[in-house]
Amino acid sequence: MCGTCGCGDEAAVHVEGDGEHVHVQADGTVVRHRHDPIADDQHEHLLPDGRVVRHSHPGGREPHLAHGVFTGHEHPAEHHHGLSDSEVRRIAVEQDVMARNDRAADLNRTRFAVEGCFVLNLMSGPGAGKTTLLVRTLDALKGRGKKLAVIEGDQQTSLDADRIRATGVPAVQVNTGKGCHLDAEMVMRALAKLPPPTGGQLYIENVGNLVCPAGFDLGEAKRAVVVSVTEGEDKPLKYPDMFAKADVVLVNKVDLVQALGFDLATLKANVRRVNPKAEVLDVSARTGEGFDRWIAWLDAAATQLASPAAAARVEATAG
Amino acid sequence: MHEVALAQSIVEIVREQARRDHVRSVKAVHLRIGALANVEPEALSFGFDAAAKGTLVEGAALAIERTPGAAFCGACGKDVAVESRLDLCPSCGSAQLLITGGEELRVTELEVT
Ligand SMILES: Nc1nc2c(ncn2[C@@H]2O[C@H](COP(=O)(O)OP(=O)(O)O)[C@@H](O)[C@H]2O)c(=O)[nH]1
Ligand SMILES: [Mg+2]
Ligand SMILES: [Zn+2]
């Protein structure tokens, strides 16, 4: 465990090339640090003055006083100080579990606004074609002198970031380990490696999963959900949370519609049912079909963000 | 399984509160989970036990209060109860529903010694 922030090993997210990570504390302060791997028999104490001591001794991680100072180290449940169960007291908390993520997302959003950077959060189930679509999108955009950047979320590999870099666009890979989604803190960390391009566009490819990413605001301007025609027409009904929050739904691999006998109309009716507002666009990341409309949608979304009214809105929410 | 991440956040919130209130051990954690919060209580309990291990939250019971989904119907102007995002207005059958309740996931109360 990390003594500064209390993050567990499971929570350790690694941005490639660095053991450093960032935490947003309850008061919004950002703490950046790195820690060496902690040995199994070691543990840490957070001293009242903020210092962290790490050591090991017989008794392992059993609670104890460190160096004669009570450190706030925790007592196990069976530990008693002459209090019986009848002395159980109640504490009102009323805290939103997502509040920390939302604070981080707000910090990201403010940073994007300051930089005038349009940010798209790209989500889908595994293999729907996010990376392929992104590569073709970047190829279409990069000739226009726009500054572009990509954050790639993946549980294990950095293959997708390599595919992006092959287009000449800078990319940073975030490996979430066991995590099945990107959260706003991971994006903050990634931005420390690859800042949002001023006046440009940042694309975030989320982890392939139609459930978990839906609940985590990253600070993006728009959300795109990709669903491919190899997946079945009922996807929107099975994952309504994901589709309900999309600004645009990209129906990918339409080059396969004929071969698969896929029913596009039913899929679209199902999207409409959970989200009447989202734009729905047919595309093929393989052939480029439908990309004119997709690029036009992106242009409109990015322009809308850059309008004075939108800037004022961002300022009002940030203030 | 974003419930694992949510459970970690819950344990963090509880530990933070426990530190402030000089709590010795946490007996129960009360949560309010909306019907539309996209959270599986069983998966959350499982993740909670794992995340609580080795902390003063270990062994605490999870008391989950479910709150119903609610929506405002743009067609008939009524506030109605809904069970899922796919529901149509139970009063008029319209799909023009704005979700107004049941999306929350909150830690509401702790029982501590
Ligand atoms: N036929 C066809 N295949 C596609 C299309 N887009 C992606 N694919 C293929 O689908 C597979 C998964 O694509 P990938 O971009 O890695 O998906 P991701 O996991 O969502 O990033 C790869 O084999 C792609 O070549 C498309 O429009 N048409
Ligand atoms: Mg990919
Ligand atoms: Zn109605």
Side-chain angles (χ1 to χ4, degrees):
Chain A
M1 183 181 89
C2 161
T4 306
C5 53
C7 67
D9 291 340
E10 309 82 354
V13 174
H14 297 278
V15 170
E16 63 188 339
D18 202 333
E20 195 172 76
H21 70 267
V22 170
H23 293 274
V24 187
Q25 293 189 318
D27 61 359
T29 337
V30 179
V31 178
R32 173 178 304 181
H33 64 164
R34 75 184 76 214
H35 26 108
D36 305 324
I38 185 162
D40 268 352
D41 62 342
Q42 282 189 321
H43 61 265
E44 291 175 337
H45 290 276
L46 176 59
L47 300 183
D49 64 2
R51 273 179 309 137
V52 177
V53 289
R54 177 182 291 190
H55 61 175
S56 65
H57 48 72
R61 300 187 189 207
E62 283 304 299
H64 63 281
L65 301 179
H67 317 291
V69 187
F70 182 66
T71 59
H73 213 66
E74 296 163 352
H75 298 256
E78 62 277 9
H79 196 101
H80 286 292
H81 289 270
L83 264 183
S84 73
D85 278 357
S86 62
E87 288 168 275
V88 168
R89 60 197 163 102
R90 288 175 167 256
I91 302 174
V93 183
E94 287 297 343
Q95 269 211 56
D96 189 327
V97 172
M98 294 304 288
R100 179 165 161 165
N101 187 75
D102 291 345
R103 273 194 305 275
D106 284 346
L107 288 171
N108 289 344
R109 188 169 281 112
T110 304
R111 182 165 184 192
F112 298 145
V114 167
E115 297 298 335
C117 181
F118 170 75
V119 182
L120 186 85
N121 181 2
L122 191 60
M123 294 172 283
S124 80
K130 293 181 300 303
T131 310
T132 312
L133 194 126
L134 206 42
V135 165
R136 194 176 266 272
T137 303
L138 298 170
D139 279 337
L141 293 174
K142 74 185 182 197
R144 305 212 220 138
K146 272 268 174 222
K147 279 189 281 176
L148 303 168
V150 172
I151 294 174
E152 276 291 336
D154 192 278
Q155 293 192 298
Q156 300 293 345
T157 71
S158 65
L159 298 175
D160 283 353
D162 297 339
R163 282 165 73 190
I164 299 296
R165 286 188 199 110
T167 68
V169 172
V172 64
Q173 181 83 47
V174 179
N175 285 131
T176 56
K178 285 186 219 150
C180 44
H181 57 270
L182 288 176
D183 66 31
E185 290 185 37
M186 298 174 194
V187 171
M188 278 189 84
R189 291 187 54 223
L191 293 174
K193 296 280 154 250
L194 181 64
T198 307
Q201 303 185 350
L202 171 69
Y203 290 83
I204 303 176
E205 178 177 337
N206 219 309
V207 179
N209 183 322
L210 278 172
V211 181
C212 306
F216 293 83
D217 180 11
L218 306 179
E220 69 272 14
K222 298 284 182 192
R223 293 182 152 208
V225 174
V226 184
V227 58
S228 78
V229 304
T230 56
E231 294 177 71
E233 295 86 352
D234 57 352
K235 274 282 150 95
L237 304 185
K238 285 189 173 156
Y239 304 97
D241 293 277
M242 177 59 84
F243 285 88
K245 291 172 184 164
D247 296 295
V248 59
V249 174
L250 294 159
V251 181
N252 190 31
K253 310 195 189 180
V254 292
D255 55 294
L256 300 176
V257 162
Q258 296 295 328
L260 294 170
F262 187 85
D263 185 352
L264 272 178
T266 300
L267 173 73
K268 286 179 190 176
N270 289 339
V271 172
R272 285 271 158 271
R273 194 162 155 210
V274 291
N275 187 338
K277 292 192 307 280
E279 183 87 29
V280 183
L281 301 173
D282 296 346
V283 293
S284 167
R286 177 154 297 170
T287 66
E289 183 181 342
F291 265 62
D292 290 351
R293 286 184 65 206
W294 164 230
I295 300 294
W297 185 90
L298 284 171
D299 282 342
T303 312
Q304 187 191 342
L305 178 86
S307 77
R313 235 186 351 263
V314 167
E315 220 162 87
T317 51
Chain B
M1 281 290 285
H2 62 308
E3 284 85 355
V4 172
L6 296 177
Q8 280 166 2
S9 302
I10 290 168
V11 170
E12 267 177 51
I13 288 171
V14 173
R15 291 177 63 191
E16 181 60 35
Q17 185 74 42
R19 258 193 290 275
R20 274 202 296 271
D21 283 327
H22 308 292
V23 162
R24 297 189 179 88
S25 110
V26 179
K27 299 296 180 202
V29 176
H30 291 255
L31 301 178
R32 186 178 303 135
I33 306 180
L36 310 178
N38 194 22
V39 176
E40 277 293 332
E42 299 82 60
L44 191 68
S45 299
F46 176 79
F48 178 79
D49 291 345
K53 237 192 192 83
T55 76
L56 84 181
V57 192
E58 181 166 355
L62 262 196
I64 297 177
E65 175 200 350
R66 302 303 313 255
T67 52
F72 172 74
C73 176
C76 70
K78 288 192 182 132
D79 285 293
V80 296
V82 290
E83 273 162 24
S84 94
R85 285 184 195 280
L86 302 180
D87 283 5
L88 302 176
C89 174
S91 181
C92 75
S94 163
Q96 283 193 47
L97 293 181
L98 172 73
I99 302 295
T100 54
E103 293 186 290
E104 68 274 22
L105 172 56
R106 298 177 75 78
V107 179
T108 54
E109 199 178 28
L110 308 180
E111 289 174 46
V112 303
T113 57

